mmCIF file of all heavy atoms in Angstrom:
data_model
loop_
_atom_site.group_PDB
_atom_site.id
_atom_site.type_symbol
_atom_site.label_atom_id
_atom_site.label_comp_id
_atom_site.label_asym_id
_atom_site.label_seq_id
_atom_site.Cartn_x
_atom_site.Cartn_y
_atom_site.Cartn_z
ATOM 1 N N PRO A 57 -2.318 -2.132 -16.671
ATOM 2 C CA PRO A 57 -2.923 -3.467 -16.521
ATOM 3 C C PRO A 57 -2.542 -4.100 -15.143
ATOM 4 O O PRO A 57 -1.469 -3.987 -14.714
ATOM 5 C CB PRO A 57 -2.203 -4.262 -17.640
ATOM 6 C CG PRO A 57 -1.891 -3.209 -18.648
ATOM 7 C CD PRO A 57 -1.568 -1.934 -17.884
ATOM 8 N N ARG A 58 -3.540 -4.712 -14.566
ATOM 9 C CA ARG A 58 -3.443 -5.374 -13.293
ATOM 10 C C ARG A 58 -3.255 -4.351 -12.058
ATOM 11 O O ARG A 58 -2.943 -4.849 -10.942
ATOM 12 C CB ARG A 58 -2.323 -6.437 -13.204
ATOM 13 C CG ARG A 58 -2.585 -7.648 -14.134
ATOM 14 C CD ARG A 58 -1.523 -8.682 -14.027
ATOM 15 N NE ARG A 58 -0.184 -8.219 -14.399
ATOM 16 C CZ ARG A 58 0.280 -8.205 -15.638
ATOM 17 N NH1 ARG A 58 -0.430 -8.618 -16.611
ATOM 18 N NH2 ARG A 58 1.515 -7.745 -15.904
ATOM 19 N N SER A 59 -3.369 -3.123 -12.325
ATOM 20 C CA SER A 59 -3.200 -2.143 -11.233
ATOM 21 C C SER A 59 -4.573 -2.046 -10.501
ATOM 22 O O SER A 59 -5.603 -2.463 -11.051
ATOM 23 C CB SER A 59 -2.777 -0.801 -11.756
ATOM 24 O OG SER A 59 -3.838 -0.255 -12.571
ATOM 25 N N LEU A 60 -4.568 -1.487 -9.301
ATOM 26 C CA LEU A 60 -5.889 -1.249 -8.595
ATOM 27 C C LEU A 60 -6.699 -0.262 -9.434
ATOM 28 O O LEU A 60 -7.957 -0.394 -9.390
ATOM 29 C CB LEU A 60 -5.549 -0.735 -7.181
ATOM 30 C CG LEU A 60 -4.932 -1.725 -6.277
ATOM 31 C CD1 LEU A 60 -4.520 -1.058 -4.951
ATOM 32 C CD2 LEU A 60 -5.930 -2.887 -5.963
ATOM 33 N N THR A 61 -6.110 0.711 -10.073
ATOM 34 C CA THR A 61 -6.910 1.633 -10.887
ATOM 35 C C THR A 61 -7.638 0.913 -11.987
ATOM 36 O O THR A 61 -8.843 1.197 -12.257
ATOM 37 C CB THR A 61 -5.963 2.681 -11.484
ATOM 38 O OG1 THR A 61 -5.474 3.507 -10.488
ATOM 39 C CG2 THR A 61 -6.742 3.586 -12.449
ATOM 40 N N SER A 62 -7.013 -0.123 -12.596
ATOM 41 C CA SER A 62 -7.699 -0.857 -13.696
ATOM 42 C C SER A 62 -8.869 -1.643 -13.157
ATOM 43 O O SER A 62 -9.776 -1.965 -13.871
ATOM 44 C CB SER A 62 -6.709 -1.785 -14.350
ATOM 45 O OG SER A 62 -6.367 -2.844 -13.529
ATOM 46 N N LYS A 63 -8.909 -1.892 -11.849
ATOM 47 C CA LYS A 63 -10.044 -2.630 -11.304
ATOM 48 C C LYS A 63 -11.035 -1.754 -10.556
ATOM 49 O O LYS A 63 -12.238 -2.016 -10.549
ATOM 50 C CB LYS A 63 -9.530 -3.700 -10.224
ATOM 51 C CG LYS A 63 -8.781 -4.814 -10.852
ATOM 52 C CD LYS A 63 -8.680 -6.001 -9.911
ATOM 53 C CE LYS A 63 -8.116 -7.161 -10.727
ATOM 54 N NZ LYS A 63 -8.114 -8.395 -9.928
ATOM 55 N N PHE A 64 -10.547 -0.698 -9.948
ATOM 56 C CA PHE A 64 -11.433 0.112 -9.100
ATOM 57 C C PHE A 64 -11.660 1.533 -9.611
ATOM 58 O O PHE A 64 -12.448 2.277 -9.098
ATOM 59 C CB PHE A 64 -10.927 0.109 -7.661
ATOM 60 C CG PHE A 64 -10.814 -1.251 -6.996
ATOM 61 C CD1 PHE A 64 -9.636 -1.980 -7.035
ATOM 62 C CD2 PHE A 64 -11.972 -1.857 -6.470
ATOM 63 C CE1 PHE A 64 -9.589 -3.260 -6.511
ATOM 64 C CE2 PHE A 64 -11.889 -3.132 -5.986
ATOM 65 C CZ PHE A 64 -10.711 -3.865 -6.012
ATOM 66 N N GLY A 65 -10.850 1.944 -10.583
ATOM 67 C CA GLY A 65 -11.041 3.289 -11.212
ATOM 68 C C GLY A 65 -10.972 4.378 -10.229
ATOM 69 O O GLY A 65 -10.081 4.475 -9.347
ATOM 70 N N MET A 66 -12.004 5.236 -10.166
ATOM 71 C CA MET A 66 -12.052 6.469 -9.344
ATOM 72 C C MET A 66 -12.545 6.120 -7.928
ATOM 73 O O MET A 66 -12.582 6.997 -7.088
ATOM 74 C CB MET A 66 -12.992 7.468 -9.956
ATOM 75 C CG MET A 66 -12.562 8.034 -11.251
ATOM 76 S SD MET A 66 -11.167 9.162 -11.185
ATOM 77 C CE MET A 66 -11.864 10.546 -10.246
ATOM 78 N N SER A 67 -12.965 4.885 -7.709
ATOM 79 C CA SER A 67 -13.545 4.540 -6.426
ATOM 80 C C SER A 67 -12.453 4.434 -5.347
ATOM 81 O O SER A 67 -11.288 4.702 -5.576
ATOM 82 C CB SER A 67 -14.309 3.207 -6.613
ATOM 83 O OG SER A 67 -15.066 2.954 -5.397
ATOM 84 N N SER A 68 -12.872 4.019 -4.126
ATOM 85 C CA SER A 68 -11.917 3.717 -3.109
ATOM 86 C C SER A 68 -11.076 2.504 -3.449
ATOM 87 O O SER A 68 -11.573 1.688 -4.259
ATOM 88 C CB SER A 68 -12.501 3.550 -1.724
ATOM 89 O OG SER A 68 -13.459 2.455 -1.847
ATOM 90 N N PHE A 69 -9.937 2.380 -2.938
ATOM 91 C CA PHE A 69 -9.121 1.169 -3.114
ATOM 92 C C PHE A 69 -9.282 0.222 -1.926
ATOM 93 O O PHE A 69 -9.502 0.711 -0.830
ATOM 94 C CB PHE A 69 -7.638 1.551 -3.326
ATOM 95 C CG PHE A 69 -7.238 2.036 -4.618
ATOM 96 C CD1 PHE A 69 -6.033 2.666 -4.848
ATOM 97 C CD2 PHE A 69 -8.060 1.966 -5.722
ATOM 98 C CE1 PHE A 69 -5.637 3.204 -6.046
ATOM 99 C CE2 PHE A 69 -7.688 2.506 -6.987
ATOM 100 C CZ PHE A 69 -6.433 3.080 -7.107
ATOM 101 N N PRO A 70 -9.096 -1.055 -2.107
ATOM 102 C CA PRO A 70 -9.012 -1.950 -0.953
ATOM 103 C C PRO A 70 -7.712 -1.786 -0.185
ATOM 104 O O PRO A 70 -6.720 -1.255 -0.809
ATOM 105 C CB PRO A 70 -9.079 -3.331 -1.608
ATOM 106 C CG PRO A 70 -8.577 -3.182 -2.940
ATOM 107 C CD PRO A 70 -8.875 -1.759 -3.350
ATOM 108 N N PHE A 71 -7.598 -2.134 1.048
ATOM 109 C CA PHE A 71 -6.377 -2.109 1.738
ATOM 110 C C PHE A 71 -5.381 -3.037 1.076
ATOM 111 O O PHE A 71 -5.749 -4.109 0.564
ATOM 112 C CB PHE A 71 -6.549 -2.576 3.240
ATOM 113 C CG PHE A 71 -7.114 -1.554 4.124
ATOM 114 C CD1 PHE A 71 -8.405 -1.475 4.440
ATOM 115 C CD2 PHE A 71 -6.242 -0.572 4.650
ATOM 116 C CE1 PHE A 71 -8.932 -0.464 5.285
ATOM 117 C CE2 PHE A 71 -6.712 0.405 5.486
ATOM 118 C CZ PHE A 71 -8.085 0.440 5.812
ATOM 119 N N HIS A 72 -4.177 -2.654 0.980
ATOM 120 C CA HIS A 72 -3.089 -3.479 0.255
ATOM 121 C C HIS A 72 -1.708 -3.029 0.721
ATOM 122 O O HIS A 72 -1.553 -2.004 1.392
ATOM 123 C CB HIS A 72 -3.264 -3.290 -1.185
ATOM 124 C CG HIS A 72 -3.038 -1.836 -1.668
ATOM 125 N ND1 HIS A 72 -3.964 -0.808 -1.602
ATOM 126 C CD2 HIS A 72 -1.890 -1.256 -2.206
ATOM 127 C CE1 HIS A 72 -3.464 0.276 -2.016
ATOM 128 N NE2 HIS A 72 -2.185 0.036 -2.398
ATOM 129 N N SER A 73 -0.740 -3.845 0.348
ATOM 130 C CA SER A 73 0.620 -3.419 0.454
ATOM 131 C C SER A 73 1.057 -3.154 -0.999
ATOM 132 O O SER A 73 0.709 -3.960 -1.875
ATOM 133 C CB SER A 73 1.490 -4.433 1.150
ATOM 134 O OG SER A 73 1.287 -5.788 0.641
ATOM 135 N N ASP A 74 1.943 -2.153 -1.202
ATOM 136 C CA ASP A 74 2.395 -1.915 -2.581
ATOM 137 C C ASP A 74 3.465 -2.924 -2.944
ATOM 138 O O ASP A 74 4.084 -3.524 -2.232
ATOM 139 C CB ASP A 74 3.045 -0.484 -2.587
ATOM 140 C CG ASP A 74 2.070 0.670 -2.902
ATOM 141 O OD1 ASP A 74 0.867 0.390 -2.949
ATOM 142 O OD2 ASP A 74 2.495 1.851 -3.009
#
Side-chain angles (χ1 to χ4, degrees):
R58 297 185 295 276
S59 67
L60 289 173
T61 294
S62 71
K63 291 200 170 182
F64 300 96
M66 297 286 295
S67 189
S68 59
F69 282 167
F71 279 98
H72 63 281
S73 48
D74 271 6

